[in-house]
Amino acid sequence: MSALTPPAVIGIVGGGQLGRMLAQTAQRHGYRTAVLTGGEERTPAGVVADIEIAAPFGDAAAAQRLVDCADVITWELENVDLGVADAASQAGVPVRPGRQVVAAAADRAAEKRALTAAGVPVAPYREAADPAELAAAVAALAGPLILKTARSGYDGKGQFRLPARGPEAPRSETFAELFERLGSVRLIVEQEVPFDREVSVVVARSLTGAIADHGVMENVHVDGILDVTRVPARLAGEVAAAARDLAARVARHLDVVGVLCVEMFVVGSELIVNEIAPRPHNSGHCTIEAAAAGQFEQQLRAVCGLPLGDGSCRPAAMAQLLGQLWANGEPPWSVALSDPGIHLHLYGKREPRSGRKMGHLTCVDATPGLALKRVLAARDRLGP
């Protein structure tokens, strides 16, 4: 299949910041972009795209409009109605990554099954579709446990930690109450992993099957939201190599064409795969400055059938900017940028809310520790 070249139109499902940064990258290369937002107008991606389609993902007419104007369809989020993929298939428009990848990542039960089929290690788990199955899952697994909704959970939402049980088994109605608390929906019950650190690998896979990654990112979450990332991670060489191999294995198993983030827990010298995302990821943001071809350029290259670029990263760090920084008005950006090595990325979101990702800062330096120190100092200068 021939490569798509400018001025081809990249259709993006999702109007958030990941779509925004992909659209900016695409336009820099001469491509045009069309965005299906999910319903809102003047979204972060929509305001920089050539075409914004402000309609729900399940709107068949809107999905068809995106397909009609796009030469390829890709994703900036996975929790969406997949009707656009079906419409694209009928019209002969390629969807990259494919429908099966997005479907697996959007449902934690399907995700666990796919990871297990790929032969990668995951935490012991059970599926639970009702209170009785929840009780059976809790009885089968050693606590403490993490209960997660099978769909629509992100940034720590849709999760509940269940401490290890005492000698008395919980009353049966306790499971009914717990099931109701989580929305009376299908659950995944996982054994909690006592990890040493959290890491991720953002891997790109081309139409020809070529693989490239950005090394291993080390991540710190606060209240379930990614707070800071440093690259490369503080890992022994053989563990880092194993993490990259695991990410490549998952990408090949799922037949990904595009970008895939594989999040993992490090336990001693062992790795346990936690989640996947079939798109660029917050932990890969520092690749924009740290790599010759960052995660959004790799996504563009992969979905357009072009050769992948050099994703290797210089030492770098990223700090997330959340909505609470706007509590007293627009933050004083000049004080953060008083360090000339600091890069500011704002997502164009109009309404800052506590816990909402509004932007990020990055820094490249001689070591990831130095980069992290500078990026945290820059964020601290913005206020509490």
Side-chain angles (χ1 to χ4, degrees):
M1 186 177 294
S2 60
L4 296 173
T5 56
V9 178
I10 315 299
I12 303 171
V13 181
Q17 67 265 20
L18 300 178
R20 177 188 182 92
M21 287 181 272
L22 174 60
Q24 290 168 334
T25 301
Q27 290 171 343
R28 198 162 59 243
H29 286 76
Y31 292 88
R32 294 173 293 159
T33 54
V35 171
L36 177 60
T37 69
E40 296 184 8
E41 295 181 342
R42 297 194 57 76
T43 58
V47 296
V48 300
D50 296 276
I51 301 169
E52 181 182 54
I53 304 170
F57 298 122
D59 184 322
Q64 189 63 53
R65 184 182 169 199
L66 180 70
V67 169
D68 288 344
C69 67
D71 295 295
V72 65
I73 302 289
T74 192
W75 314 84
E76 74 112 36
L77 76 172
E78 57 273 14
N79 292 310
V80 297
D81 185 288
L82 293 174
V84 65
D86 298 330
S89 177
Q90 292 175 8
V93 175
V95 178
R96 300 170 181 159
R99 187 188 199 284
Q100 79 286 354
V101 182
V102 179
D107 186 293
R108 286 190 170 107
E111 179 183 63
K112 292 293 186 189
R113 292 185 219 117
L115 291 171
T116 301
V120 302
V122 299
Y125 78 98
R126 295 288 188 279
E127 299 179 34
D130 56 42
E133 290 187 0
L134 175 57
V138 171
L141 297 170
L145 305 173
I146 306 295
L147 281 55
K148 302 178 179 178
T149 57
R151 297 188 65 88
S152 301
Y154 65 97
D155 288 347
K157 297 178 175 64
Q159 297 189 23
F160 180 82
R161 183 180 186 272
L162 187 66
R165 293 186 298 161
E168 294 294 325
R171 297 175 294 119
S172 60
E173 60 265 33
T174 301
F175 292 112
E177 293 165 358
L178 190 52
F179 190 75
E180 184 178 358
R181 178 192 298 196
L182 286 163
S184 299
V185 295
R186 288 183 303 111
L187 304 175
I188 288 292
V189 183
E190 289 183 355
Q191 197 170 89
E192 186 177 66
V193 177
F195 59 85
D196 299 316
R197 51 179 51 94
E198 297 175 85
V199 300
S200 58
V201 177
V202 178
V203 60
R205 184 170 179 267
S206 75
L207 200 56
T208 64
I211 293 278
D213 64 56
H214 301 288
V216 186
M217 315 289 176
E218 182 176 343
N219 307 313
V220 175
H221 290 76
V222 175
D223 297 328
I225 302 173
L226 181 63
D227 186 51
V228 296
T229 294
R230 57 189 286 168
V231 60
R234 294 170 294 177
L235 295 177
E238 62 271 18
V239 179
R244 297 172 70 184
D245 287 345
L246 281 177
R249 185 188 307 177
V250 175
R252 291 190 184 100
H253 175 78
L254 292 174
D255 195 22
V256 170
V257 176
V259 166
L260 180 77
C261 178
V262 182
E263 298 181 74
M264 311 175 210
F265 297 131
V266 181
V267 185
S269 61
E270 302 297 319
L271 293 162
I272 295 175
V273 176
N274 181 35
E275 293 180 348
I276 61 173
R279 51 170 172 76
H281 191 262
N282 289 348
S283 64
H285 284 338
C286 56
T287 65
I288 298 172
E289 282 78 36
Q295 63 173 349
F296 297 100
E297 179 165 342
Q298 297 288 54
Q299 183 183 21
L300 176 70
R301 286 175 168 272
V303 303
C304 289
L306 298 169
L308 300 177
D310 180 4
S312 56
C313 284
R314 296 174 290 164
M318 183 278 296
Q320 198 78 61
L321 303 175
L322 301 181
Q324 50 265 39
L325 272 176
W326 278 253
N328 297 315
E330 192 74 18
W333 302 118
S334 60
V335 299
L337 298 174
S338 61
D339 179 341
I342 296 296
H343 302 268
L344 171 65
H345 296 260
L346 293 176
Y347 300 157
K349 296 180 179 179
R350 289 171 286 176
E351 183 185 350
R353 297 191 300 267
S354 181
R356 190 182 198 192
K357 299 185 186 80
M358 300 293 293
H360 67 265
L361 301 172
T362 60
C363 181
V364 177
D365 210 321
T367 69
L370 288 172
L372 182 61
K373 182 178 179 180
R374 289 173 69 183
V375 83
L376 288 176
R379 186 172 67 178
D380 288 345
R381 290 194 294 272
L382 294 173

